[in-house]
Amino acid sequence: MPRASDSDAEAVRVLGTGGLVIIPTETVYGLAADAGNAEAVAAIFEAKGRPRFNPLIAHVADAMQAEAVALFDPRARALAEAFWPGPLTLVAPVRDRTGVCDLARAGLDSVAVRVPGHARARALISAFGRPVVAPSANRSGRPSPTTFADAVEETGFAARAAINGGPCAVGVESTVVSVLDGRVALLRPGSVTREEIEALVGPLARFGEGGGEGHRSPGRLTLHYAPDAPVRIEAADARGGEILLGFGPGAGDPRWSLSPTGDLREAAANLFRRLREADRERPTGIAVSPIPAHGLGEAINDRLRRAAGYVG
Ligand code: AMP
Ligand code: MG
């Protein structure tokens, strides 16, 4: 088990020697390593059981450090200015192939970068001085950890230090947007919404619409974010032995609700924690009330469909 560390200096030292560190971010807890150290990056894939074709996100301290790693066009720059620090990842042509090693990029000519909104994460990266890859600290395919305890339970065995930054405020992984060949595409919905992005850069290319290879998101597996219990979405009620995660007033037991008032931000923040808590009760299944499709609902529904194994 990692030493819980209150000292960023200790975590920076571990990163510098190729070790892994559990770090808080505003989205979910991450399992972090030096992005330029192929052995350290390999240890992340190993600890998570993550397929090597699924590239990692390089976390950087600021937009300047991002542009040292990636080539931004004016629209990428506009998105960075509007949403960083925060839960938006930009996929752009790679500039520095050593700072974010081949394995971290799954051999692609593009790189995913983001400046996290969590001040502690930024301070750590800034003190380390180089990009840090930090995929969610769960074992591959499982729900992402949004609390320190869940992160340590998932991949603590592989980490040499762990920073407790409290519960994650956002609760779902970052929005991933590619900005390649003058085209902007949404690869993964998140809490920066499609509507917010389109207001800034115009209509997003539809998935698979002549965007070329670069606009594909290699790691988006059908069954992902899944607890042990089967997940049933768009449920009106719990069937025998199921736990219902409700949304909005009157939907099931309020103790299990994603948001009793029907608030999408609250539902996102609660989503993975409730899935994990429900799973611990060993129900026959986890049913989830319908969630609106707009705004942050797009990301919540995306994670739920994958937890239920519905989409490719
Ligand atoms: P995670 O680190 O688990 O939050 O996932 C990172 C996400 O970003 C995955 O869905 C990847 O497929 C996507 N991603 C990372 N790098 C690239 C890239 N160069 N091109 C396309 N998608 C990427
Ligand atoms: Mg993940």
Side-chain angles (χ1 to χ4, degrees), residues 221-243:
L221 308 172
T222 308
L223 186 66
H224 206 117
Y225 313 114
D228 292 331
V231 174
R232 188 166 65 84
I233 56 179
E234 316 260 345
D237 264 310
R239 296 176 188 156
E242 280 182 341
I243 290 175

PDB file of all heavy atoms in Angstrom, residues 221-243:
ATOM      1  N   LEU A 221     -13.944   1.296 -24.975  1.00  0.00           N
ATOM      2  CA  LEU A 221     -14.424  -0.080 -25.002  1.00  0.00           C
ATOM      3  C   LEU A 221     -15.918  -0.145 -24.694  1.00  0.00           C
ATOM      4  O   LEU A 221     -16.461   0.707 -24.004  1.00  0.00           O
ATOM      5  CB  LEU A 221     -13.648  -0.915 -23.978  1.00  0.00           C
ATOM      6  CG  LEU A 221     -12.126  -0.810 -24.112  1.00  0.00           C
ATOM      7  CD1 LEU A 221     -11.447  -1.507 -22.950  1.00  0.00           C
ATOM      8  CD2 LEU A 221     -11.670  -1.394 -25.427  1.00  0.00           C
ATOM      9  N   THR A 222     -16.560  -1.203 -25.208  1.00  0.00           N
ATOM     10  CA  THR A 222     -18.008  -1.328 -25.023  1.00  0.00           C
ATOM     11  C   THR A 222     -18.392  -1.424 -23.554  1.00  0.00           C
ATOM     12  O   THR A 222     -19.217  -0.667 -23.061  1.00  0.00           O
ATOM     13  CB  THR A 222     -18.529  -2.583 -25.759  1.00  0.00           C
ATOM     14  OG1 THR A 222     -18.052  -2.515 -27.081  1.00  0.00           O
ATOM     15  CG2 THR A 222     -20.025  -2.617 -25.761  1.00  0.00           C
ATOM     16  N   LEU A 223     -17.789  -2.394 -22.860  1.00  0.00           N
ATOM     17  CA  LEU A 223     -18.115  -2.536 -21.440  1.00  0.00           C
ATOM     18  C   LEU A 223     -17.027  -1.851 -20.634  1.00  0.00           C
ATOM     19  O   LEU A 223     -15.873  -2.254 -20.659  1.00  0.00           O
ATOM     20  CB  LEU A 223     -18.221  -4.021 -21.056  1.00  0.00           C
ATOM     21  CG  LEU A 223     -18.709  -4.275 -19.624  1.00  0.00           C
ATOM     22  CD1 LEU A 223     -20.150  -3.812 -19.456  1.00  0.00           C
ATOM     23  CD2 LEU A 223     -18.586  -5.742 -19.245  1.00  0.00           C
ATOM     24  N   HIS A 224     -17.403  -0.791 -19.924  1.00  0.00           N
ATOM     25  CA  HIS A 224     -16.422   0.015 -19.204  1.00  0.00           C
ATOM     26  C   HIS A 224     -17.165   0.659 -18.039  1.00  0.00           C
ATOM     27  O   HIS A 224     -18.376   0.705 -18.051  1.00  0.00           O
ATOM     28  CB  HIS A 224     -15.883   1.088 -20.157  1.00  0.00           C
ATOM     29  CG  HIS A 224     -14.497   1.546 -19.799  1.00  0.00           C
ATOM     30  ND1 HIS A 224     -13.435   1.368 -20.625  1.00  0.00           N
ATOM     31  CD2 HIS A 224     -14.002   2.160 -18.707  1.00  0.00           C
ATOM     32  CE1 HIS A 224     -12.345   1.865 -20.065  1.00  0.00           C
ATOM     33  NE2 HIS A 224     -12.676   2.359 -18.894  1.00  0.00           N
ATOM     34  N   TYR A 225     -16.425   1.140 -17.061  1.00  0.00           N
ATOM     35  CA  TYR A 225     -17.044   1.817 -15.920  1.00  0.00           C
ATOM     36  C   TYR A 225     -18.021   0.889 -15.189  1.00  0.00           C
ATOM     37  O   TYR A 225     -18.955   1.344 -14.546  1.00  0.00           O
ATOM     38  CB  TYR A 225     -17.820   3.069 -16.359  1.00  0.00           C
ATOM     39  CG  TYR A 225     -17.085   3.984 -17.304  1.00  0.00           C
ATOM     40  CD1 TYR A 225     -17.520   4.172 -18.607  1.00  0.00           C
ATOM     41  CD2 TYR A 225     -15.946   4.666 -16.884  1.00  0.00           C
ATOM     42  CE1 TYR A 225     -16.844   5.015 -19.474  1.00  0.00           C
ATOM     43  CE2 TYR A 225     -15.265   5.510 -17.747  1.00  0.00           C
ATOM     44  CZ  TYR A 225     -15.719   5.678 -19.043  1.00  0.00           C
ATOM     45  OH  TYR A 225     -15.064   6.513 -19.900  1.00  0.00           O
ATOM     46  N   ALA A 226     -17.841  -0.437 -15.325  1.00  0.00           N
ATOM     47  CA  ALA A 226     -18.883  -1.355 -14.871  1.00  0.00           C
ATOM     48  C   ALA A 226     -18.630  -1.905 -13.471  1.00  0.00           C
ATOM     49  O   ALA A 226     -17.533  -2.371 -13.174  1.00  0.00           O
ATOM     50  CB  ALA A 226     -18.995  -2.508 -15.863  1.00  0.00           C
ATOM     51  N   PRO A 227     -19.646  -1.875 -12.606  1.00  0.00           N
ATOM     52  CA  PRO A 227     -19.562  -2.590 -11.326  1.00  0.00           C
ATOM     53  C   PRO A 227     -19.718  -4.090 -11.581  1.00  0.00           C
ATOM     54  O   PRO A 227     -19.887  -4.521 -12.722  1.00  0.00           O
ATOM     55  CB  PRO A 227     -20.746  -2.034 -10.535  1.00  0.00           C
ATOM     56  CG  PRO A 227     -21.708  -1.568 -11.557  1.00  0.00           C
ATOM     57  CD  PRO A 227     -20.916  -1.215 -12.791  1.00  0.00           C
ATOM     58  N   ASP A 228     -19.663  -4.905 -10.523  1.00  0.00           N
ATOM     59  CA  ASP A 228     -19.847  -6.358 -10.698  1.00  0.00           C
ATOM     60  C   ASP A 228     -21.294  -6.677 -11.036  1.00  0.00           C
ATOM     61  O   ASP A 228     -21.576  -7.528 -11.871  1.00  0.00           O
ATOM     62  CB  ASP A 228     -19.440  -7.104  -9.420  1.00  0.00           C
ATOM     63  CG  ASP A 228     -17.926  -7.015  -9.192  1.00  0.00           C
ATOM     64  OD1 ASP A 228     -17.195  -6.907 -10.203  1.00  0.00           O
ATOM     65  OD2 ASP A 228     -17.494  -7.036  -8.036  1.00  0.00           O
ATOM     66  N   ALA A 229     -22.234  -6.006 -10.365  1.00  0.00           N
ATOM     67  CA  ALA A 229     -23.662  -6.260 -10.602  1.00  0.00           C
ATOM     68  C   ALA A 229     -24.042  -5.750 -11.990  1.00  0.00           C
ATOM     69  O   ALA A 229     -23.520  -4.730 -12.440  1.00  0.00           O
ATOM     70  CB  ALA A 229     -24.503  -5.549  -9.544  1.00  0.00           C
ATOM     71  N   PRO A 230     -24.969  -6.446 -12.680  1.00  0.00           N
ATOM     72  CA  PRO A 230     -25.423  -5.941 -13.981  1.00  0.00           C
ATOM     73  C   PRO A 230     -26.164  -4.614 -13.822  1.00  0.00           C
ATOM     74  O   PRO A 230     -26.870  -4.401 -12.829  1.00  0.00           O
ATOM     75  CB  PRO A 230     -26.360  -7.036 -14.496  1.00  0.00           C
ATOM     76  CG  PRO A 230     -26.702  -7.872 -13.316  1.00  0.00           C
ATOM     77  CD  PRO A 230     -25.602  -7.718 -12.308  1.00  0.00           C
ATOM     78  N   VAL A 231     -25.961  -3.717 -14.786  1.00  0.00           N
ATOM     79  CA  VAL A 231     -26.588  -2.391 -14.732  1.00  0.00           C
ATOM     80  C   VAL A 231     -27.705  -2.333 -15.772  1.00  0.00           C
ATOM     81  O   VAL A 231     -27.535  -2.747 -16.912  1.00  0.00           O
ATOM     82  CB  VAL A 231     -25.540  -1.285 -15.001  1.00  0.00           C
ATOM     83  CG1 VAL A 231     -26.194   0.084 -15.088  1.00  0.00           C
ATOM     84  CG2 VAL A 231     -24.458  -1.299 -13.921  1.00  0.00           C
ATOM     85  N   ARG A 232     -28.890  -1.829 -15.334  1.00  0.00           N
ATOM     86  CA  ARG A 232     -30.040  -1.690 -16.231  1.00  0.00           C
ATOM     87  C   ARG A 232     -30.421  -0.214 -16.235  1.00  0.00           C
ATOM     88  O   ARG A 232     -30.711   0.360 -15.186  1.00  0.00           O
ATOM     89  CB  ARG A 232     -31.193  -2.552 -15.682  1.00  0.00           C
ATOM     90  CG  ARG A 232     -32.397  -2.677 -16.608  1.00  0.00           C
ATOM     91  CD  ARG A 232     -33.310  -3.811 -16.118  1.00  0.00           C
ATOM     92  NE  ARG A 232     -33.901  -3.523 -14.813  1.00  0.00           N
ATOM     93  CZ  ARG A 232     -35.017  -2.799 -14.634  1.00  0.00           C
ATOM     94  NH1 ARG A 232     -35.656  -2.299 -15.669  1.00  0.00           N
ATOM     95  NH2 ARG A 232     -35.485  -2.586 -13.411  1.00  0.00           N
ATOM     96  N   ILE A 233     -30.386   0.415 -17.427  1.00  0.00           N
ATOM     97  CA  ILE A 233     -30.619   1.865 -17.474  1.00  0.00           C
ATOM     98  C   ILE A 233     -32.050   2.190 -17.904  1.00  0.00           C
ATOM     99  O   ILE A 233     -32.794   1.292 -18.306  1.00  0.00           O
ATOM    100  CB  ILE A 233     -29.587   2.562 -18.395  1.00  0.00           C
ATOM    101  CG1 ILE A 233     -29.612   1.953 -19.794  1.00  0.00           C
ATOM    102  CG2 ILE A 233     -28.207   2.478 -17.805  1.00  0.00           C
ATOM    103  CD1 ILE A 233     -28.632   2.619 -20.765  1.00  0.00           C
ATOM    104  N   GLU A 234     -32.434   3.474 -17.775  1.00  0.00           N
ATOM    105  CA  GLU A 234     -33.776   3.943 -18.158  1.00  0.00           C
ATOM    106  C   GLU A 234     -34.853   3.157 -17.425  1.00  0.00           C
ATOM    107  O   GLU A 234     -35.900   2.847 -17.996  1.00  0.00           O
ATOM    108  CB  GLU A 234     -33.995   3.801 -19.671  1.00  0.00           C
ATOM    109  CG  GLU A 234     -32.820   4.245 -20.519  1.00  0.00           C
ATOM    110  CD  GLU A 234     -32.997   5.635 -21.108  1.00  0.00           C
ATOM    111  OE1 GLU A 234     -34.136   6.154 -21.106  1.00  0.00           O
ATOM    112  OE2 GLU A 234     -31.990   6.232 -21.520  1.00  0.00           O
ATOM    113  N   ALA A 235     -34.595   2.806 -16.173  1.00  0.00           N
ATOM    114  CA  ALA A 235     -35.518   1.951 -15.417  1.00  0.00           C
ATOM    115  C   ALA A 235     -36.596   2.796 -14.731  1.00  0.00           C
ATOM    116  O   ALA A 235     -36.318   3.871 -14.207  1.00  0.00           O
ATOM    117  CB  ALA A 235     -34.736   1.167 -14.370  1.00  0.00           C
ATOM    118  N   ALA A 236     -37.845   2.304 -14.757  1.00  0.00           N
ATOM    119  CA  ALA A 236     -38.936   2.999 -14.077  1.00  0.00           C
ATOM    120  C   ALA A 236     -38.917   2.659 -12.589  1.00  0.00           C
ATOM    121  O   ALA A 236     -39.256   3.488 -11.740  1.00  0.00           O
ATOM    122  CB  ALA A 236     -40.267   2.598 -14.702  1.00  0.00           C
ATOM    123  N   ASP A 237     -38.512   1.439 -12.245  1.00  0.00           N
ATOM    124  CA  ASP A 237     -38.557   0.938 -10.877  1.00  0.00           C
ATOM    125  C   ASP A 237     -37.517  -0.152 -10.696  1.00  0.00           C
ATOM    126  O   ASP A 237     -37.051  -0.701 -11.679  1.00  0.00           O
ATOM    127  CB  ASP A 237     -39.932   0.301 -10.606  1.00  0.00           C
ATOM    128  CG  ASP A 237     -40.882   1.289  -9.938  1.00  0.00           C
ATOM    129  OD1 ASP A 237     -40.451   1.897  -8.945  1.00  0.00           O
ATOM    130  OD2 ASP A 237     -42.009   1.447 -10.439  1.00  0.00           O
ATOM    131  N   ALA A 238     -37.237  -0.468  -9.405  1.00  0.00           N
ATOM    132  CA  ALA A 238     -36.371  -1.613  -9.138  1.00  0.00           C
ATOM    133  C   ALA A 238     -37.179  -2.892  -9.248  1.00  0.00           C
ATOM    134  O   ALA A 238     -38.314  -2.948  -8.788  1.00  0.00           O
ATOM    135  CB  ALA A 238     -35.778  -1.484  -7.738  1.00  0.00           C
ATOM    136  N   ARG A 239     -36.591  -3.926  -9.886  1.00  0.00           N
ATOM    137  CA  ARG A 239     -37.207  -5.252  -9.842  1.00  0.00           C
ATOM    138  C   ARG A 239     -36.602  -5.999  -8.667  1.00  0.00           C
ATOM    139  O   ARG A 239     -35.625  -5.543  -8.081  1.00  0.00           O
ATOM    140  CB  ARG A 239     -36.920  -6.007 -11.144  1.00  0.00           C
ATOM    141  CG  ARG A 239     -37.540  -5.340 -12.354  1.00  0.00           C
ATOM    142  CD  ARG A 239     -37.136  -6.085 -13.627  1.00  0.00           C
ATOM    143  NE  ARG A 239     -37.569  -5.363 -14.820  1.00  0.00           N
ATOM    144  CZ  ARG A 239     -36.997  -5.484 -16.012  1.00  0.00           C
ATOM    145  NH1 ARG A 239     -35.974  -6.321 -16.181  1.00  0.00           N
ATOM    146  NH2 ARG A 239     -37.451  -4.802 -17.045  1.00  0.00           N
ATOM    147  N   GLY A 240     -37.168  -7.180  -8.334  1.00  0.00           N
ATOM    148  CA  GLY A 240     -36.726  -7.917  -7.138  1.00  0.00           C
ATOM    149  C   GLY A 240     -35.211  -8.007  -7.014  1.00  0.00           C
ATOM    150  O   GLY A 240     -34.545  -8.449  -7.950  1.00  0.00           O
ATOM    151  N   GLY A 241     -34.700  -7.582  -5.865  1.00  0.00           N
ATOM    152  CA  GLY A 241     -33.267  -7.737  -5.602  1.00  0.00           C
ATOM    153  C   GLY A 241     -32.384  -6.671  -6.204  1.00  0.00           C
ATOM    154  O   GLY A 241     -31.178  -6.654  -5.972  1.00  0.00           O
ATOM    155  N   GLU A 242     -32.987  -5.750  -6.977  1.00  0.00           N
ATOM    156  CA  GLU A 242     -32.182  -4.664  -7.552  1.00  0.00           C
ATOM    157  C   GLU A 242     -32.152  -3.461  -6.609  1.00  0.00           C
ATOM    158  O   GLU A 242     -33.065  -3.262  -5.808  1.00  0.00           O
ATOM    159  CB  GLU A 242     -32.805  -4.177  -8.874  1.00  0.00           C
ATOM    160  CG  GLU A 242     -32.508  -5.028 -10.078  1.00  0.00           C
ATOM    161  CD  GLU A 242     -33.127  -4.440 -11.362  1.00  0.00           C
ATOM    162  OE1 GLU A 242     -34.052  -3.599 -11.266  1.00  0.00           O
ATOM    163  OE2 GLU A 242     -32.686  -4.823 -12.442  1.00  0.00           O
ATOM    164  N   ILE A 243     -31.116  -2.659  -6.754  1.00  0.00           N
ATOM    165  CA  ILE A 243     -31.096  -1.340  -6.113  1.00  0.00           C
ATOM    166  C   ILE A 243     -31.355  -0.324  -7.223  1.00  0.00           C
ATOM    167  O   ILE A 243     -30.762  -0.416  -8.306  1.00  0.00           O
ATOM    168  CB  ILE A 243     -29.734  -1.060  -5.447  1.00  0.00           C
ATOM    169  CG1 ILE A 243     -29.562  -1.953  -4.214  1.00  0.00           C
ATOM    170  CG2 ILE A 243     -29.596   0.415  -5.079  1.00  0.00           C
ATOM    171  CD1 ILE A 243     -28.195  -1.832  -3.553  1.00  0.00           C
TER     172      ILE A 243
END
